[in-house]
Amino acid sequence: MEQPNNVYWELVGITNRYLGPATERFIDRQVQNHLNKDSKDITKKDVGELTDWIRGAVSLLTDNEKLVEEYIDQLRHLSQGQRNPSIKRQ
Amino acid sequence: MSGIKLSPMRWFAILFVAVCILTLALPADPQTLKTLHLSTTTYRIIIVCLLIPEALLWYSVFYAYTKLQEYSRYLDGSKEHRAFQRISLGMGALAFGLVIPSVVSPLLNYVVIHNEGFRATANIIEHYLSLVVALISFSILRGGSQQLISSNRSIKGNLLGMRLFAIFFIVLAVFFSYTAIHTRRVGHNPYYMSLFPLMVTIIIPYLYAWFEGLISAYNFRIYSKYVKGVLYKQAFFLLSLGMVITVLGFIFVQFITSTYGARTDESLGFILVLVYLLLAILITGLGLMAWGTKKLKKIEEV
C-alpha cells in the first residue's frame, strides 16, 4: 500500500492544530473537491492552489480572522518549501 | 416492501399528540385531586401549564438526538464514528425514555381510578420505567463516551478529577440511600416495597445508572479538555458542556422525584417553580448539545 508523502503529513500536522480529529477528513475533502486527486499524492504546489479554498472553508467555521490568517500563513510556508520546525510527523 | 422509518422529530410529534390526548381526555384521579386540594378544572389547567415546558423539553431532546444522528453519519469510516453512533443512540434512548412514561402514566391512572387495588402496582411500574430509562440511556452514553476517549490516544485520565468525582458520587449515594429509606419509614411508603426489595431493585440500580451517567459526563469533560484542534475543541466544548448539564439535570430530576415525589406537605407553587427550574436547566443543556453538534457538523461540511 502506497504511503502518504511528507507534504501530506506536514499538511495534517498544521491542520491538526485547528481541526483536531476532523483534520484528515477535511484535507481529503478539500483535495478531492478542488484538485480532483488523492490527498496522499498532494504536492507543495497543490498546497499553494488549495490555500484560498481552505481560507474560504475555515472562514465559515470561525470569525477569528487572526486564527484563520495564522493557519493560512503556515500553509503558505509549506507551499513555498519553508518547513515549520514545530510540526511533528504523524 | 420497505419499512416505514420515521425521523426523530416525527416521532416527537406523534408521541406529543398521544400524551396530550391521553392526559387531557382521560379523567383525573380523584385521590390526586383530594391530596392536592384541587378541582378538576384547576388540575387540568396545571397539567396544561406543565405540558408546555415538558413539550419544550421533549422537543429539545429529540432535536439534540437528531443533530447527533446527522453528525455521526458524517464520520462514517473514521475512528470516532462508532463512538458517536453510540452517543446518538444513548440520546435516542433518553428521548424516547422521557416521553414514554408520560404516555403510560395516564393509562395506569385510568386503571387505578377503576381499580384502587392497582395503585401500588401502577406506582411500582412508574418507578421501574423511570429506572429502566436511566439504566439503558446512561449505560449507552457511557459506552459511547468511553469509545470516544479510546479513539484518541493522547487523552489520559485526570487523577484529581477522578477523586472529586468519587467524592461527589459517594455523597450522592449516601444522601439518596438515606432519603429513600427514611421516606419509606416515615412517609406512607411511596415505593410500596419492603426494605430489601427497595434496596436491591430501586436504590442500587438507580445508583448504578447515575454512576454510568456521571462517568459519561466526566469522559466528555476529559475529551473536551484534552482533544486537539482549536476550532474542533470550541465546537466540542459546547457539546460536552451541554452533555454534563443534561446528565446532571436528569440525575437531579430523578433524585427529586424518587425521594420527594410522594410528599404532599410542600406547596403546589413551590413544586411548580422547582419543576420549571429543572426543565429550564435541562432545556439549556440540550440546547447547548444541539448547538455544539451543529458546529461539529459544519466542520465536516465545509
PDB file of all heavy atoms in Angstrom, chain A residues 15-22 25-26 29-30 57-58 60-62 67, chain B residues 71 74-75 78 80 152 223 227-232 234 298-302:
ATOM      1  N   THR A  15      -2.790  21.381  10.070  1.00  0.00           N
ATOM      2  CA  THR A  15      -4.254  21.460  10.195  1.00  0.00           C
ATOM      3  C   THR A  15      -4.753  20.879  11.510  1.00  0.00           C
ATOM      4  O   THR A  15      -5.768  21.317  12.054  1.00  0.00           O
ATOM      5  CB  THR A  15      -4.915  20.736   9.007  1.00  0.00           C
ATOM      6  OG1 THR A  15      -4.354  21.230   7.796  1.00  0.00           O
ATOM      7  CG2 THR A  15      -6.407  20.956   8.973  1.00  0.00           C
ATOM      8  N   ASN A  16      -4.021  19.886  12.025  1.00  0.00           N
ATOM      9  CA  ASN A  16      -4.413  19.239  13.280  1.00  0.00           C
ATOM     10  C   ASN A  16      -4.521  20.224  14.431  1.00  0.00           C
ATOM     11  O   ASN A  16      -5.339  20.044  15.334  1.00  0.00           O
ATOM     12  CB  ASN A  16      -3.410  18.143  13.639  1.00  0.00           C
ATOM     13  CG  ASN A  16      -3.925  17.238  14.733  1.00  0.00           C
ATOM     14  OD1 ASN A  16      -5.062  16.793  14.699  1.00  0.00           O
ATOM     15  ND2 ASN A  16      -3.103  16.988  15.727  1.00  0.00           N
ATOM     16  N   ARG A  17      -3.735  21.277  14.383  1.00  0.00           N
ATOM     17  CA  ARG A  17      -3.788  22.270  15.453  1.00  0.00           C
ATOM     18  C   ARG A  17      -5.124  22.992  15.484  1.00  0.00           C
ATOM     19  O   ARG A  17      -5.492  23.593  16.479  1.00  0.00           O
ATOM     20  CB  ARG A  17      -2.720  23.334  15.235  1.00  0.00           C
ATOM     21  CG  ARG A  17      -1.333  22.832  15.396  1.00  0.00           C
ATOM     22  CD  ARG A  17      -0.407  23.945  15.046  1.00  0.00           C
ATOM     23  NE  ARG A  17       0.960  23.607  15.371  1.00  0.00           N
ATOM     24  CZ  ARG A  17       1.981  24.404  15.172  1.00  0.00           C
ATOM     25  NH1 ARG A  17       1.791  25.596  14.642  1.00  0.00           N
ATOM     26  NH2 ARG A  17       3.192  24.026  15.488  1.00  0.00           N
ATOM     27  N   TYR A  18      -5.828  22.988  14.359  1.00  0.00           N
ATOM     28  CA  TYR A  18      -7.083  23.748  14.246  1.00  0.00           C
ATOM     29  C   TYR A  18      -8.303  22.841  14.200  1.00  0.00           C
ATOM     30  O   TYR A  18      -9.340  23.171  14.742  1.00  0.00           O
ATOM     31  CB  TYR A  18      -7.037  24.652  13.004  1.00  0.00           C
ATOM     32  CG  TYR A  18      -5.844  25.555  13.045  1.00  0.00           C
ATOM     33  CD1 TYR A  18      -4.664  25.191  12.404  1.00  0.00           C
ATOM     34  CD2 TYR A  18      -5.871  26.755  13.761  1.00  0.00           C
ATOM     35  CE1 TYR A  18      -3.537  26.002  12.489  1.00  0.00           C
ATOM     36  CE2 TYR A  18      -4.750  27.564  13.843  1.00  0.00           C
ATOM     37  CZ  TYR A  18      -3.586  27.181  13.212  1.00  0.00           C
ATOM     38  OH  TYR A  18      -2.473  27.981  13.297  1.00  0.00           O
ATOM     39  N   LEU A  19      -8.164  21.701  13.548  1.00  0.00           N
ATOM     40  CA  LEU A  19      -9.345  20.860  13.369  1.00  0.00           C
ATOM     41  C   LEU A  19      -9.278  19.527  14.109  1.00  0.00           C
ATOM     42  O   LEU A  19     -10.223  18.743  14.046  1.00  0.00           O
ATOM     43  CB  LEU A  19      -9.585  20.610  11.876  1.00  0.00           C
ATOM     44  CG  LEU A  19      -9.889  21.876  11.070  1.00  0.00           C
ATOM     45  CD1 LEU A  19     -10.121  21.532   9.604  1.00  0.00           C
ATOM     46  CD2 LEU A  19     -11.106  22.608  11.630  1.00  0.00           C
ATOM     47  N   GLY A  20      -8.178  19.249  14.773  1.00  0.00           N
ATOM     48  CA  GLY A  20      -8.066  18.050  15.609  1.00  0.00           C
ATOM     49  C   GLY A  20      -8.463  16.777  14.886  1.00  0.00           C
ATOM     50  O   GLY A  20      -7.986  16.474  13.804  1.00  0.00           O
ATOM     51  N   PRO A  21      -9.388  15.987  15.477  1.00  0.00           N
ATOM     52  CA  PRO A  21      -9.783  14.703  14.880  1.00  0.00           C
ATOM     53  C   PRO A  21     -10.412  14.830  13.495  1.00  0.00           C
ATOM     54  O   PRO A  21     -10.474  13.838  12.765  1.00  0.00           O
ATOM     55  CB  PRO A  21     -10.818  14.169  15.877  1.00  0.00           C
ATOM     56  CG  PRO A  21     -10.533  14.864  17.153  1.00  0.00           C
ATOM     57  CD  PRO A  21     -10.019  16.209  16.779  1.00  0.00           C
ATOM     58  N   ALA A  22     -10.883  16.007  13.128  1.00  0.00           N
ATOM     59  CA  ALA A  22     -11.522  16.175  11.816  1.00  0.00           C
ATOM     60  C   ALA A  22     -10.515  16.486  10.709  1.00  0.00           C
ATOM     61  O   ALA A  22     -10.900  16.669   9.554  1.00  0.00           O
ATOM     62  CB  ALA A  22     -12.559  17.298  11.892  1.00  0.00           C
ATOM     63  N   ARG A  25     -10.146  14.111   7.434  1.00  0.00           N
ATOM     64  CA  ARG A  25     -11.382  14.165   6.634  1.00  0.00           C
ATOM     65  C   ARG A  25     -11.453  15.506   5.895  1.00  0.00           C
ATOM     66  O   ARG A  25     -11.838  15.554   4.719  1.00  0.00           O
ATOM     67  CB  ARG A  25     -12.610  14.004   7.543  1.00  0.00           C
ATOM     68  CG  ARG A  25     -12.721  12.641   8.186  1.00  0.00           C
ATOM     69  CD  ARG A  25     -14.061  12.457   8.890  1.00  0.00           C
ATOM     70  NE  ARG A  25     -14.243  13.309  10.044  1.00  0.00           N
ATOM     71  CZ  ARG A  25     -13.846  13.026  11.286  1.00  0.00           C
ATOM     72  NH1 ARG A  25     -13.184  11.900  11.505  1.00  0.00           N
ATOM     73  NH2 ARG A  25     -14.083  13.847  12.284  1.00  0.00           N
ATOM     74  N   PHE A  26     -11.079  16.583   6.576  1.00  0.00           N
ATOM     75  CA  PHE A  26     -11.118  17.921   5.981  1.00  0.00           C
ATOM     76  C   PHE A  26     -10.151  18.000   4.799  1.00  0.00           C
ATOM     77  O   PHE A  26     -10.524  18.465   3.710  1.00  0.00           O
ATOM     78  CB  PHE A  26     -10.761  18.961   7.056  1.00  0.00           C
ATOM     79  CG  PHE A  26     -10.671  20.372   6.551  1.00  0.00           C
ATOM     80  CD1 PHE A  26     -11.818  21.121   6.326  1.00  0.00           C
ATOM     81  CD2 PHE A  26      -9.439  20.966   6.310  1.00  0.00           C
ATOM     82  CE1 PHE A  26     -11.745  22.429   5.875  1.00  0.00           C
ATOM     83  CE2 PHE A  26      -9.348  22.274   5.856  1.00  0.00           C
ATOM     84  CZ  PHE A  26     -10.500  23.004   5.628  1.00  0.00           C
ATOM     85  N   ARG A  29     -11.270  15.963   1.813  1.00  0.00           N
ATOM     86  CA  ARG A  29     -12.420  16.600   1.160  1.00  0.00           C
ATOM     87  C   ARG A  29     -11.960  17.752   0.273  1.00  0.00           C
ATOM     88  O   ARG A  29     -12.400  17.897  -0.864  1.00  0.00           O
ATOM     89  CB  ARG A  29     -13.381  17.103   2.231  1.00  0.00           C
ATOM     90  CG  ARG A  29     -14.819  17.143   1.795  1.00  0.00           C
ATOM     91  CD  ARG A  29     -15.775  17.238   2.971  1.00  0.00           C
ATOM     92  NE  ARG A  29     -15.411  18.235   3.937  1.00  0.00           N
ATOM     93  CZ  ARG A  29     -15.095  17.959   5.199  1.00  0.00           C
ATOM     94  NH1 ARG A  29     -15.083  16.714   5.629  1.00  0.00           N
ATOM     95  NH2 ARG A  29     -14.774  18.931   6.042  1.00  0.00           N
ATOM     96  N   GLN A  30     -11.069  18.595   0.814  1.00  0.00           N
ATOM     97  CA  GLN A  30     -10.595  19.761   0.062  1.00  0.00           C
ATOM     98  C   GLN A  30      -9.838  19.324  -1.197  1.00  0.00           C
ATOM     99  O   GLN A  30     -10.059  19.864  -2.288  1.00  0.00           O
ATOM    100  CB  GLN A  30      -9.674  20.640   0.929  1.00  0.00           C
ATOM    101  CG  GLN A  30     -10.313  21.196   2.192  1.00  0.00           C
ATOM    102  CD  GLN A  30     -11.594  21.967   1.936  1.00  0.00           C
ATOM    103  OE1 GLN A  30     -11.671  22.800   1.027  1.00  0.00           O
ATOM    104  NE2 GLN A  30     -12.617  21.683   2.714  1.00  0.00           N
ATOM    105  N   ALA A  57     -13.083  27.967   3.422  1.00  0.00           N
ATOM    106  CA  ALA A  57     -13.752  26.957   4.249  1.00  0.00           C
ATOM    107  C   ALA A  57     -13.608  27.271   5.735  1.00  0.00           C
ATOM    108  O   ALA A  57     -14.585  27.240   6.490  1.00  0.00           O
ATOM    109  CB  ALA A  57     -13.170  25.567   3.945  1.00  0.00           C
ATOM    110  N   VAL A  58     -12.402  27.574   6.149  1.00  0.00           N
ATOM    111  CA  VAL A  58     -12.162  27.812   7.584  1.00  0.00           C
ATOM    112  C   VAL A  58     -12.832  29.114   8.043  1.00  0.00           C
ATOM    113  O   VAL A  58     -13.276  29.222   9.193  1.00  0.00           O
ATOM    114  CB  VAL A  58     -10.641  27.844   7.874  1.00  0.00           C
ATOM    115  CG1 VAL A  58     -10.365  28.199   9.320  1.00  0.00           C
ATOM    116  CG2 VAL A  58     -10.041  26.482   7.569  1.00  0.00           C
ATOM    117  N   LEU A  60     -15.663  30.020   7.290  1.00  0.00           N
ATOM    118  CA  LEU A  60     -17.058  29.684   7.608  1.00  0.00           C
ATOM    119  C   LEU A  60     -17.179  29.093   9.013  1.00  0.00           C
ATOM    120  O   LEU A  60     -18.266  29.028   9.575  1.00  0.00           O
ATOM    121  CB  LEU A  60     -17.602  28.675   6.601  1.00  0.00           C
ATOM    122  CG  LEU A  60     -17.815  29.180   5.175  1.00  0.00           C
ATOM    123  CD1 LEU A  60     -18.204  28.036   4.258  1.00  0.00           C
ATOM    124  CD2 LEU A  60     -18.882  30.269   5.132  1.00  0.00           C
ATOM    125  N   LEU A  61     -16.047  28.638   9.563  1.00  0.00           N
ATOM    126  CA  LEU A  61     -16.086  27.970  10.862  1.00  0.00           C
ATOM    127  C   LEU A  61     -15.800  28.902  12.030  1.00  0.00           C
ATOM    128  O   LEU A  61     -16.107  28.573  13.170  1.00  0.00           O
ATOM    129  CB  LEU A  61     -15.054  26.824  10.891  1.00  0.00           C
ATOM    130  CG  LEU A  61     -15.244  25.732   9.842  1.00  0.00           C
ATOM    131  CD1 LEU A  61     -14.112  24.720   9.929  1.00  0.00           C
ATOM    132  CD2 LEU A  61     -16.585  25.043  10.027  1.00  0.00           C
ATOM    133  N   THR A  62     -15.174  30.053  11.735  1.00  0.00           N
ATOM    134  CA  THR A  62     -14.817  30.958  12.823  1.00  0.00           C
ATOM    135  C   THR A  62     -14.794  32.403  12.335  1.00  0.00           C
ATOM    136  O   THR A  62     -14.507  32.667  11.167  1.00  0.00           O
ATOM    137  CB  THR A  62     -13.439  30.588  13.413  1.00  0.00           C
ATOM    138  OG1 THR A  62     -13.120  31.514  14.453  1.00  0.00           O
ATOM    139  CG2 THR A  62     -12.341  30.626  12.375  1.00  0.00           C
ATOM    140  N   LEU A  67      -6.844  33.919  13.673  1.00  0.00           N
ATOM    141  CA  LEU A  67      -6.618  32.477  13.687  1.00  0.00           C
ATOM    142  C   LEU A  67      -6.556  31.940  12.264  1.00  0.00           C
ATOM    143  O   LEU A  67      -5.694  31.124  11.914  1.00  0.00           O
ATOM    144  CB  LEU A  67      -7.757  31.792  14.457  1.00  0.00           C
ATOM    145  CG  LEU A  67      -7.548  30.329  14.815  1.00  0.00           C
ATOM    146  CD1 LEU A  67      -6.595  30.218  15.988  1.00  0.00           C
ATOM    147  CD2 LEU A  67      -8.869  29.678  15.195  1.00  0.00           C
TER     148      LEU A  67
ATOM    149  N   TYR B  71     -24.763  14.093  12.606  1.00  0.00           N
ATOM    150  CA  TYR B  71     -23.309  14.268  12.710  1.00  0.00           C
ATOM    151  C   TYR B  71     -22.588  12.932  12.622  1.00  0.00           C
ATOM    152  O   TYR B  71     -21.574  12.798  11.933  1.00  0.00           O
ATOM    153  CB  TYR B  71     -22.949  14.975  14.022  1.00  0.00           C
ATOM    154  CG  TYR B  71     -21.455  15.111  14.241  1.00  0.00           C
ATOM    155  CD1 TYR B  71     -20.668  15.828  13.357  1.00  0.00           C
ATOM    156  CD2 TYR B  71     -20.840  14.514  15.333  1.00  0.00           C
ATOM    157  CE1 TYR B  71     -19.301  15.944  13.551  1.00  0.00           C
ATOM    158  CE2 TYR B  71     -19.476  14.628  15.532  1.00  0.00           C
ATOM    159  CZ  TYR B  71     -18.713  15.340  14.647  1.00  0.00           C
ATOM    160  OH  TYR B  71     -17.362  15.454  14.830  1.00  0.00           O
ATOM    161  N   TYR B  74     -21.715  11.679   9.193  1.00  0.00           N
ATOM    162  CA  TYR B  74     -20.572  12.293   8.512  1.00  0.00           C
ATOM    163  C   TYR B  74     -19.262  11.587   8.865  1.00  0.00           C
ATOM    164  O   TYR B  74     -18.278  11.704   8.144  1.00  0.00           O
ATOM    165  CB  TYR B  74     -20.445  13.772   8.927  1.00  0.00           C
ATOM    166  CG  TYR B  74     -21.356  14.707   8.176  1.00  0.00           C
ATOM    167  CD1 TYR B  74     -22.583  15.080   8.703  1.00  0.00           C
ATOM    168  CD2 TYR B  74     -20.988  15.220   6.944  1.00  0.00           C
ATOM    169  CE1 TYR B  74     -23.423  15.939   8.017  1.00  0.00           C
ATOM    170  CE2 TYR B  74     -21.827  16.085   6.252  1.00  0.00           C
ATOM    171  CZ  TYR B  74     -23.039  16.433   6.797  1.00  0.00           C
ATOM    172  OH  TYR B  74     -23.866  17.290   6.123  1.00  0.00           O
ATOM    173  N   LEU B  75     -19.242  10.882   9.993  1.00  0.00           N
ATOM    174  CA  LEU B  75     -17.992  10.308  10.484  1.00  0.00           C
ATOM    175  C   LEU B  75     -17.765   8.882   9.992  1.00  0.00           C
ATOM    176  O   LEU B  75     -16.834   8.230  10.457  1.00  0.00           O
ATOM    177  CB  LEU B  75     -18.004  10.304  12.027  1.00  0.00           C
ATOM    178  CG  LEU B  75     -18.251  11.639  12.696  1.00  0.00           C
ATOM    179  CD1 LEU B  75     -18.274  11.485  14.210  1.00  0.00           C
ATOM    180  CD2 LEU B  75     -17.165  12.635  12.309  1.00  0.00           C
ATOM    181  N   SER B  78     -14.461   6.708  10.127  1.00  0.00           N
ATOM    182  CA  SER B  78     -13.443   7.333  10.985  1.00  0.00           C
ATOM    183  C   SER B  78     -13.405   6.648  12.360  1.00  0.00           C
ATOM    184  O   SER B  78     -14.279   5.852  12.698  1.00  0.00           O
ATOM    185  CB  SER B  78     -13.753   8.813  11.166  1.00  0.00           C
ATOM    186  OG  SER B  78     -14.878   8.962  12.018  1.00  0.00           O
ATOM    187  N   GLU B  80     -13.885   7.973  15.208  1.00  0.00           N
ATOM    188  CA  GLU B  80     -14.905   8.436  16.145  1.00  0.00           C
ATOM    189  C   GLU B  80     -16.319   7.985  15.777  1.00  0.00           C
ATOM    190  O   GLU B  80     -17.277   8.240  16.530  1.00  0.00           O
ATOM    191  CB  GLU B  80     -14.926   9.989  16.205  1.00  0.00           C
ATOM    192  CG  GLU B  80     -13.614  10.612  16.597  1.00  0.00           C
ATOM    193  CD  GLU B  80     -12.765  10.939  15.394  1.00  0.00           C
ATOM    194  OE1 GLU B  80     -13.318  11.301  14.337  1.00  0.00           O
ATOM    195  OE2 GLU B  80     -11.547  10.810  15.493  1.00  0.00           O
ATOM    196  N   ASN B 152      -8.809   8.400  20.877  1.00  0.00           N
ATOM    197  CA  ASN B 152      -7.776   9.427  20.865  1.00  0.00           C
ATOM    198  C   ASN B 152      -6.716   9.085  21.901  1.00  0.00           C
ATOM    199  O   ASN B 152      -6.921   9.245  23.096  1.00  0.00           O
ATOM    200  CB  ASN B 152      -8.398  10.794  21.171  1.00  0.00           C
ATOM    201  CG  ASN B 152      -7.499  11.935  20.774  1.00  0.00           C
ATOM    202  OD1 ASN B 152      -6.288  11.879  20.999  1.00  0.00           O
ATOM    203  ND2 ASN B 152      -8.061  12.963  20.192  1.00  0.00           N
ATOM    204  N   TYR B 223     -12.452  14.554  27.393  1.00  0.00           N
ATOM    205  CA  TYR B 223     -12.210  14.605  25.946  1.00  0.00           C
ATOM    206  C   TYR B 223     -12.186  16.065  25.485  1.00  0.00           C
ATOM    207  O   TYR B 223     -11.323  16.464  24.698  1.00  0.00           O
ATOM    208  CB  TYR B 223     -13.307  13.836  25.199  1.00  0.00           C
ATOM    209  CG  TYR B 223     -13.045  13.658  23.721  1.00  0.00           C
ATOM    210  CD1 TYR B 223     -12.225  12.636  23.262  1.00  0.00           C
ATOM    211  CD2 TYR B 223     -13.611  14.507  22.786  1.00  0.00           C
ATOM    212  CE1 TYR B 223     -11.973  12.463  21.909  1.00  0.00           C
ATOM    213  CE2 TYR B 223     -13.362  14.351  21.429  1.00  0.00           C
ATOM    214  CZ  TYR B 223     -12.552  13.329  20.999  1.00  0.00           C
ATOM    215  OH  TYR B 223     -12.304  13.169  19.663  1.00  0.00           O
ATOM    216  N   VAL B 227      -8.656  17.179  23.843  1.00  0.00           N
ATOM    217  CA  VAL B 227      -8.659  16.968  22.392  1.00  0.00           C
ATOM    218  C   VAL B 227      -7.924  18.111  21.697  1.00  0.00           C
ATOM    219  O   VAL B 227      -7.937  19.255  22.160  1.00  0.00           O
ATOM    220  CB  VAL B 227     -10.108  16.827  21.874  1.00  0.00           C
ATOM    221  CG1 VAL B 227     -10.828  18.179  21.801  1.00  0.00           C
ATOM    222  CG2 VAL B 227     -10.136  16.162  20.509  1.00  0.00           C
ATOM    223  N   LYS B 228      -7.273  17.788  20.578  1.00  0.00           N
ATOM    224  CA  LYS B 228      -6.509  18.808  19.845  1.00  0.00           C
ATOM    225  C   LYS B 228      -7.422  19.527  18.852  1.00  0.00           C
ATOM    226  O   LYS B 228      -8.472  19.038  18.486  1.00  0.00           O
ATOM    227  CB  LYS B 228      -5.342  18.143  19.090  1.00  0.00           C
ATOM    228  CG  LYS B 228      -4.365  17.385  19.948  1.00  0.00           C
ATOM    229  CD  LYS B 228      -3.103  18.179  20.162  1.00  0.00           C
ATOM    230  CE  LYS B 228      -2.006  17.423  20.877  1.00  0.00           C
ATOM    231  NZ  LYS B 228      -2.366  16.802  22.118  1.00  0.00           N
ATOM    232  N   GLY B 229      -6.905  20.685  18.369  1.00  0.00           N
ATOM    233  CA  GLY B 229      -7.647  21.417  17.333  1.00  0.00           C
ATOM    234  C   GLY B 229      -8.501  22.510  17.948  1.00  0.00           C
ATOM    235  O   GLY B 229      -9.526  22.236  18.555  1.00  0.00           O
ATOM    236  N   VAL B 230      -8.056  23.759  17.745  1.00  0.00           N
ATOM    237  CA  VAL B 230      -8.721  24.909  18.372  1.00  0.00           C
ATOM    238  C   VAL B 230     -10.194  24.980  17.982  1.00  0.00           C
ATOM    239  O   VAL B 230     -11.072  25.131  18.837  1.00  0.00           O
ATOM    240  CB  VAL B 230      -8.011  26.217  17.954  1.00  0.00           C
ATOM    241  CG1 VAL B 230      -8.785  27.415  18.436  1.00  0.00           C
ATOM    242  CG2 VAL B 230      -6.596  26.252  18.467  1.00  0.00           C
ATOM    243  N   LEU B 231     -10.481  24.857  16.689  1.00  0.00           N
ATOM    244  CA  LEU B 231     -11.862  25.010  16.219  1.00  0.00           C
ATOM    245  C   LEU B 231     -12.717  23.806  16.614  1.00  0.00           C
ATOM    246  O   LEU B 231     -13.871  23.959  17.004  1.00  0.00           O
ATOM    247  CB  LEU B 231     -11.876  25.199  14.686  1.00  0.00           C
ATOM    248  CG  LEU B 231     -11.157  26.455  14.201  1.00  0.00           C
ATOM    249  CD1 LEU B 231     -11.126  26.514  12.681  1.00  0.00           C
ATOM    250  CD2 LEU B 231     -11.801  27.711  14.751  1.00  0.00           C
ATOM    251  N   TYR B 232     -12.127  22.624  16.521  1.00  0.00           N
ATOM    252  CA  TYR B 232     -12.846  21.408  16.912  1.00  0.00           C
ATOM    253  C   TYR B 232     -13.160  21.455  18.406  1.00  0.00           C
ATOM    254  O   TYR B 232     -14.271  21.126  18.835  1.00  0.00           O
ATOM    255  CB  TYR B 232     -11.997  20.177  16.590  1.00  0.00           C
ATOM    256  CG  TYR B 232     -12.686  18.857  16.854  1.00  0.00           C
ATOM    257  CD1 TYR B 232     -13.421  18.225  15.856  1.00  0.00           C
ATOM    258  CD2 TYR B 232     -12.617  18.249  18.106  1.00  0.00           C
ATOM    259  CE1 TYR B 232     -14.059  17.014  16.091  1.00  0.00           C
ATOM    260  CE2 TYR B 232     -13.255  17.055  18.353  1.00  0.00           C
ATOM    261  CZ  TYR B 232     -13.975  16.433  17.345  1.00  0.00           C
ATOM    262  OH  TYR B 232     -14.620  15.250  17.587  1.00  0.00           O
ATOM    263  N   GLN B 234     -13.509  24.081  20.327  1.00  0.00           N
ATOM    264  CA  GLN B 234     -14.549  25.072  20.628  1.00  0.00           C
ATOM    265  C   GLN B 234     -15.931  24.465  20.400  1.00  0.00           C
ATOM    266  O   GLN B 234     -16.848  24.644  21.201  1.00  0.00           O
ATOM    267  CB  GLN B 234     -14.395  26.305  19.729  1.00  0.00           C
ATOM    268  CG  GLN B 234     -13.304  27.244  20.165  1.00  0.00           C
ATOM    269  CD  GLN B 234     -13.035  28.339  19.132  1.00  0.00           C
ATOM    270  OE1 GLN B 234     -13.669  28.400  18.071  1.00  0.00           O
ATOM    271  NE2 GLN B 234     -12.086  29.199  19.430  1.00  0.00           N
ATOM    272  N   LYS B 298     -20.714  21.261  10.924  1.00  0.00           N
ATOM    273  CA  LYS B 298     -20.280  22.240   9.924  1.00  0.00           C
ATOM    274  C   LYS B 298     -18.821  21.992   9.522  1.00  0.00           C
ATOM    275  O   LYS B 298     -18.456  22.178   8.362  1.00  0.00           O
ATOM    276  CB  LYS B 298     -20.438  23.644  10.505  1.00  0.00           C
ATOM    277  CG  LYS B 298     -20.450  24.714   9.438  1.00  0.00           C
ATOM    278  CD  LYS B 298     -21.024  26.005   9.945  1.00  0.00           C
ATOM    279  CE  LYS B 298     -21.048  26.995   8.804  1.00  0.00           C
ATOM    280  NZ  LYS B 298     -21.411  28.342   9.235  1.00  0.00           N
ATOM    281  N   ILE B 299     -18.012  21.554  10.508  1.00  0.00           N
ATOM    282  CA  ILE B 299     -16.604  21.243  10.219  1.00  0.00           C
ATOM    283  C   ILE B 299     -16.526  20.129   9.178  1.00  0.00           C
ATOM    284  O   ILE B 299     -15.636  20.130   8.320  1.00  0.00           O
ATOM    285  CB  ILE B 299     -15.844  20.832  11.496  1.00  0.00           C
ATOM    286  CG1 ILE B 299     -15.730  22.028  12.436  1.00  0.00           C
ATOM    287  CG2 ILE B 299     -14.467  20.281  11.176  1.00  0.00           C
ATOM    288  CD1 ILE B 299     -15.093  21.698  13.791  1.00  0.00           C
ATOM    289  N   GLU B 300     -17.472  19.203   9.224  1.00  0.00           N
ATOM    290  CA  GLU B 300     -17.472  18.086   8.263  1.00  0.00           C
ATOM    291  C   GLU B 300     -18.086  18.454   6.922  1.00  0.00           C
ATOM    292  O   GLU B 300     -17.984  17.698   5.967  1.00  0.00           O
ATOM    293  CB  GLU B 300     -18.263  16.897   8.848  1.00  0.00           C
ATOM    294  CG  GLU B 300     -17.792  16.434  10.202  1.00  0.00           C
ATOM    295  CD  GLU B 300     -16.368  15.926  10.219  1.00  0.00           C
ATOM    296  OE1 GLU B 300     -15.905  15.386   9.201  1.00  0.00           O
ATOM    297  OE2 GLU B 300     -15.709  16.066  11.271  1.00  0.00           O
ATOM    298  N   GLU B 301     -18.742  19.631   6.861  1.00  0.00           N
ATOM    299  CA  GLU B 301     -19.441  20.002   5.631  1.00  0.00           C
ATOM    300  C   GLU B 301     -18.625  20.953   4.746  1.00  0.00           C
ATOM    301  O   GLU B 301     -18.786  20.953   3.536  1.00  0.00           O
ATOM    302  CB  GLU B 301     -20.768  20.687   5.981  1.00  0.00           C
ATOM    303  CG  GLU B 301     -21.832  19.744   6.473  1.00  0.00           C
ATOM    304  CD  GLU B 301     -23.055  20.455   7.021  1.00  0.00           C
ATOM    305  OE1 GLU B 301     -22.968  21.674   7.322  1.00  0.00           O
ATOM    306  OE2 GLU B 301     -24.092  19.801   7.163  1.00  0.00           O
ATOM    307  N   VAL B 302     -17.755  21.793   5.368  1.00  0.00           N
ATOM    308  CA  VAL B 302     -17.065  22.820   4.571  1.00  0.00           C
ATOM    309  C   VAL B 302     -15.972  22.214   3.701  1.00  0.00           C
ATOM    310  O   VAL B 302     -15.417  21.184   4.001  1.00  0.00           O
ATOM    311  CB  VAL B 302     -16.466  23.923   5.481  1.00  0.00           C
ATOM    312  CG1 VAL B 302     -17.570  24.681   6.153  1.00  0.00           C
ATOM    313  CG2 VAL B 302     -15.504  23.348   6.510  1.00  0.00           C
TER     314      VAL B 302
END
